[in-house]
Amino acid sequence: MEGMATDHPAERGGTGRDRFAAFSERASNVTASPLFYVLCVLLVLGTVVLHFMHPPLSWLIFAGDVMTAVNLLLLALLKNTERRDTHAVQRKLDAIAAALLEQREGTGHTAADELRRAIRMEEEQ
């Protein structure tokens, strides 16, 4: 797969975000909403009701497949969000440590500039 990147999303370079990162951010916001939670509860209740209706086995298998697919997609989105957040926190911690060291040693302001960039990192994404 030539178009598939295996680098960490924050390390791919470039000034813009790729489409998957933008989609993941929007999806993460949606899945964190109370409306999505209600939708999930309704989906689970619908599956339980379906079991009590004693439908053909193929319907039950299909309902289980739908639940599994939704679960897998949410897991992929969660992992993407987790990796981006972890990288952002680590970059900020590295910049703080470098700025403190630079301040202690009385050297230039390179680390302070990097700290300013790290603080604004989410705004650029």
Side-chain angles (χ1 to χ4, degrees):
M1 291 185 190
E2 189 174 308
M4 186 172 184
T6 57
D7 295 338
H8 188 282
E11 296 169 349
R12 290 188 188 139
T15 56
R17 293 172 46 175
D18 63 2
R19 285 180 276 179
F20 182 71
F23 170 76
S24 294
E25 186 69 29
R26 285 190 305 274
S28 178
N29 292 337
V30 169
T31 57
S33 72
L35 180 62
F36 184 78
Y37 178 78
V38 169
L39 180 66
C40 288
V41 168
L42 291 175
L43 185 61
V44 169
L45 289 176
T47 304
V48 170
V49 168
L50 185 66
H51 279 292
F52 286 120
M53 293 174 51
H54 302 293
L57 183 60
S58 62
W59 288 21
L60 294 174
I61 291 172
F62 179 72
D65 289 347
V66 168
M67 295 289 276
T68 301
V70 168
N71 210 354
L72 184 60
L73 291 172
L74 288 174
L75 178 65
L77 290 172
L78 176 67
K79 186 62 180 173
N80 179 274
T81 302
E82 174 194 5
R83 286 180 55 96
R84 285 185 289 115
D85 290 346
T86 300
H87 187 270
V89 168
Q90 187 60 52
R91 183 171 172 205
K92 289 175 185 177
L93 287 172
D94 290 347
I96 290 170
L100 288 172
L101 184 61
E102 196 173 76
Q103 181 183 23
R104 181 179 177 145
E105 294 176 352
T107 57
H109 297 284
T110 308
D113 294 339
E114 178 60 29
L115 180 58
R116 283 187 197 90
R117 281 192 295 277
I119 291 170
R120 285 189 235 104
M121 192 166 72
E122 285 81 23
E123 295 170 6
E124 297 170 2
Q125 294 182 5

